[in-house]
């Protein structure tokens, strides 16, 4: 399968806590991307990490990539209620993106 | 920038009817993607175009589905005849190329009765 698998499927935390989501995959990739989807909306690109990169930051987001373990993690620091959404990893082995099933994050105010 | 525009936002139809979904990609983007999202199957790529040419339609479920991109600013996804199992949210996304970061439209929620 060329899709990633997110873990956990659902996560509930208190506002201010950190949230960590993981993505495991089986194929070789050119890059891995993380997207967010608010309920009833389209997906929004958050961050892209290339296969030769190990860590990347964007604001409160930190993404790591371990190509030897074929895994990635997304860390959201100091979470806010507005971070409540589903988060998807997307693999790019070639010309397409393959999306996982997502992690549903709920941040409780 | 208006982003990716999809219409209609909601569609309710009866089984057997033809359904046409429309998409206007972001100006200057050369790739366009159609996805279907359901609870059971997640987000599935149906077809993608590069420079208006269909590149990969292996995700199109069956012959009832067809997609066209007559020019760089417009694409349609047609289902004829529609069936209840086609009920889903259909997303269009476009990309400027390069790393292929995709920009999604708001989706069309289709319900086939």
């Amino acid at each position: 399968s060329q899709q990633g698998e997110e873990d956990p499927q659902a996560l509930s935390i208190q506002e201010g806590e950190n949230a960590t989501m993981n993505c495991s995959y089986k194929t070789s990739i050119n890059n891995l991307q993380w997207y967010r989807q608010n309920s009833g909306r389209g997906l929004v690109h958050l961050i892209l990490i290339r296969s030769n990169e190990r860590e990347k930051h964007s604001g409160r987001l930190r993404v790591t990539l371990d190509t030897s373990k074929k895994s990635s993690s997304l860390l959201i620091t100091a979470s806010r209620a507005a971070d409540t959404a589903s988060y998807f990893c997307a693999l790019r082995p070639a010309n397409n993106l393959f999306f996982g099933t997502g992690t549903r994050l709920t941040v409780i105010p | 920038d208006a982003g990716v525009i999809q219409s209609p936002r909601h569609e309710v139809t009866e089984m057997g009817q033809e359904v046409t979904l429309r998409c206007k990609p972001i100006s200057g983007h050369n790739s366009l993607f159609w996805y279907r999202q359901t609870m059971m199957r997640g987000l599935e790529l149906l077809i993608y175009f590069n420079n208006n040419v269909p590149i990969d339609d292996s995700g199109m479920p069956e012959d009832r589905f067809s997609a066209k991109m007559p020019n760089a600013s417009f694409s349609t996804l047609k289902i004829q005849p529609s069936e209840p199992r086609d009920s889903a949210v259909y997303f269009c996304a476009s990309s400027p190329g390069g790393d292929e970061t995709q920009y999604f439209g708001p989706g069309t929620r289709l319900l086939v009765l």
Side-chain angles (χ1 to χ4, degrees):
Chain A
S1 170
Q2 294 180 301
Q3 288 181 303
E5 284 190 25
E6 287 94 341
D7 173 65
Q9 290 187 334
L11 179 61
S12 184
I13 60 173
Q14 295 288 332
E15 198 167 33
E17 293 180 339
N18 296 341
T20 300
M21 289 157 268
N22 302 295
C23 174
S24 60
Y25 58 93
K26 296 179 180 178
T27 188
S28 297
I29 59 172
N30 291 322
N31 65 57
L32 185 147
Q33 304 178 28
W34 286 90
Y35 287 76
R36 183 188 74 223
Q37 184 180 31
N38 290 86
S39 182
R41 303 287 188 93
L43 280 74
V44 175
H45 178 260
L46 295 176
I47 196 166
L48 178 153
I49 187 165
R50 303 178 202 283
S51 60
N52 61 354
E53 297 176 312
R54 292 296 168 259
E55 187 171 312
K56 209 162 183 181
H57 295 81
S58 177
R60 293 183 297 111
L61 305 180
R62 173 177 169 255
V63 170
T64 62
L65 178 64
D66 187 333
T67 53
S68 65
K69 295 181 179 179
K70 289 188 162 53
S71 68
S72 174
S73 67
L74 171 67
L75 168 68
I76 304 174
T77 60
S79 63
R80 305 167 181 169
D83 295 329
T84 294
S86 291
Y87 292 81
F88 295 86
C89 68
L91 311 179
R92 184 163 186 250
N95 296 321
N96 291 344
L97 281 182
F98 294 89
F99 287 83
T101 54
T103 292
R104 175 67 191 169
L105 173 66
T106 301
V107 181
I108 303 167
Chain B
D1 191 341
V4 175
I5 298 172
Q6 291 187 246
S7 65
R9 293 294 309 277
H10 302 273
E11 177 83 18
V12 181
T13 190
E14 293 187 344
M15 183 174 63
Q17 297 297 306
E18 178 179 294
V19 175
T20 299
L21 311 181
R22 297 173 176 81
C23 175
K24 177 178 169 55
I26 293 173
S27 178
H29 285 192
N30 59 7
S31 296
L32 183 140
F33 306 81
W34 282 101
Y35 291 90
R36 178 173 66 177
Q37 186 177 38
T38 61
M39 288 293 292
M40 290 296 294
R41 300 174 68 91
L43 194 65
E44 302 173 281
L45 176 66
L46 300 177
I47 185 171
Y48 86 93
F49 296 83
N50 194 41
N51 293 322
N52 312 339
V53 176
I55 302 300
D56 184 355
D57 65 354
S58 60
M60 297 286 262
E62 47 198 272
D63 292 344
R64 297 184 298 106
F65 286 69
S66 62
K68 294 181 180 179
M69 192 165 186
N71 57 62
S73 59
F74 184 66
S75 177
T76 59
L77 178 67
K78 186 174 294 187
I79 308 172
Q80 167 62 20
S82 58
E83 296 183 2
R85 60 192 168 122
D86 302 331
S87 298
V89 182
Y90 290 81
F91 288 103
C92 175
S94 69
S95 173
D99 289 328
E100 298 293 333
T101 297
Q102 295 185 14
Y103 298 79
F104 280 73
T108 295
R109 188 172 297 272
L110 173 66
L111 178 61
V112 183
L113 301 174

